[in-house]
Amino acid sequence: MPAFSRLVRFLARDGRIYYGDAILPGGTSDIARSARARIINGDVFGKHHVTDQVVDIRMLLSPLAPSHVGTVRCLGLNYADHAKETNMPEPKFPILFYKPRTSVSGPTDSIPVHAMAQEGAGLDYEAELVVVMGKRCTDVPESEALNYVLGYAVGNDVSHRDWQIKHGGSQWSLGKSFDGWAPFGPGIVSGEVIKDPQQLKIWTKVNGETMQNGTTADMIFGVKKTISFLSRGVTLMPGDLIFTGTPAGVALGRKQPIWLKDGDVVEVGLEQIGTCTNKIDFAPAKPRI
């Protein structure tokens, strides 16, 4: 585990949906720019192989099929600079909240904003390294944690700050769990490609303007420590997602917040992985396949 380098799930030009190993164009490591992939046969969490059959990509989908997505765990305040900008103390233990599987969507899906989330202010972005678990594990020591990882992606922990903080007694999940509010992708890059997940540049652009520009080296709790902590007495399963927190630069941390609005285009990116580009849509919308 795994045999692939850059796992993608995509709609091909022949109208079928495949898992594949993305073929990068020359001069880029952004999977979102891939136009072709080699078909993968078998179980991506178990025995599988990358074939020589090359298929044209029509559209990249969420890297995991809905039936393959497990529990979605998220960390809050996991970058020192983000904690500082929000005037909150650095946590002594990881701050954990959950998103439902219905929040998961793909790297180019629109982000639907329900009427409830159009009330008040505070629609915000959070670029995050996403860890995709590949094997079942419990009570994992830090030294072995990365052995259970399928790979890494980039995601957007879309948040509504009023519903997250002001309403309902600071129930974080309430303001972060709307349908389609966890787009991730554009693919899953294996640990054979990304040897050290703590040395990656991470950023957000809104309508082309850079809003976040950080590095995963600034995490308070790194990937190894996070997996080890979350697995204490709790079994992590293949397909579980871990959103690992966001660096400084979110709208919440600005003196004059620039909240997301209808029609805004949000791009979150991660070095060696690529970008997810999603449009804010105040009209009712459904995630793609």
Side-chain angles (χ1 to χ4, degrees):
M1 186 197 79
F4 63 83
S5 295
R6 297 171 179 84
L7 177 69
V8 289
R9 180 171 158 267
F10 63 97
L11 177 66
R13 295 194 181 279
D14 63 9
R16 299 175 62 185
I17 294 175
Y18 297 96
Y19 277 114
D21 197 1
I23 300 172
L24 293 176
T28 183
S29 60
D30 187 349
I31 296 173
R33 298 185 182 181
S34 297
R36 301 183 301 159
R38 294 181 178 89
I39 299 300
I40 293 176
N41 287 336
D43 179 4
V44 294
F45 294 105
K47 187 176 181 180
H48 67 275
H49 70 280
V50 179
T51 71
D52 293 329
Q53 181 183 359
V54 176
V55 175
D56 290 337
I57 297 172
R58 178 179 172 186
M59 179 176 64
L60 289 173
L61 305 174
S62 173
L64 294 180
S67 61
H68 286 162
V69 175
T71 302
V72 183
R73 296 173 175 85
C74 308
L75 298 191
L77 296 178
N78 196 30
Y79 284 70
D81 56 358
H82 176 51
K84 183 178 180 180
E85 73 174 349
T86 56
N87 295 313
M88 297 181 186
E90 289 187 21
K92 295 182 179 180
F93 298 95
I95 296 175
L96 176 65
F97 63 94
Y98 296 83
K99 289 191 178 222
R101 289 197 298 176
T102 52
S103 67
V104 175
S105 61
T108 62
D109 290 340
S110 294
I111 298 172
V113 181
H114 187 273
M116 176 178 172
Q118 297 178 35
E119 300 171 6
L123 189 61
D124 211 345
Y125 48 83
E126 292 191 8
E128 309 208 1
L129 165 67
V130 180
V131 179
V132 183
M133 299 305 297
K135 292 193 291 187
R136 177 178 178 142
C137 61
T138 311
D139 294 326
V140 178
E142 289 183 33
S143 60
E144 299 177 13
L146 299 188
N147 296 334
Y148 296 89
V149 173
L150 183 72
Y152 308 96
V154 63
N156 187 352
D157 174 20
V158 184
S159 307
H160 191 287
R161 302 307 185 184
D162 276 3
W163 283 112
Q164 176 193 353
I165 299 170
K166 292 183 179 180
H167 307 320
S170 294
Q171 299 181 67
W172 282 26
S173 289
L174 187 63
K176 291 171 170 280
S177 295
F178 291 94
D179 289 351
W181 279 30
F184 86 111
I188 299 170
V189 179
S190 77
E192 292 299 314
V193 176
I194 297 178
K195 303 290 187 180
D196 184 358
Q198 304 306 149
Q199 298 295 329
L200 304 174
K201 296 178 182 179
I202 185 169
W203 65 90
T204 295
K205 295 180 181 180
V206 178
N207 300 326
E209 180 180 355
T210 298
M211 310 300 282
Q212 291 182 284
N213 188 15
T215 169
T216 58
D218 291 337
M219 284 185 187
I220 298 170
F221 305 102
V223 173
K224 293 179 181 179
K225 187 176 292 293
T226 294
I227 292 172
S228 180
F229 180 84
L230 294 181
S231 71
R232 293 178 64 183
V234 177
T235 301
L236 305 182
M237 298 293 291
D240 283 359
L241 306 180
I242 304 173
F243 281 65
T244 57
T246 197
V250 298
L252 177 66
R254 296 174 179 268
K255 292 182 179 179
Q256 295 183 334
I258 304 174
W259 303 117
L260 297 174
K261 61 186 183 300
D262 187 29
D264 281 349
V265 176
V266 185
E267 175 189 310
V268 294
L270 194 60
E271 186 179 8
Q272 296 191 52
I273 294 173
T275 55
C276 295
T277 304
N278 308 92
K279 185 177 181 179
I280 301 297
D281 187 358
F282 277 33
K286 294 181 179 179
R288 293 173 181 167
I289 299 171

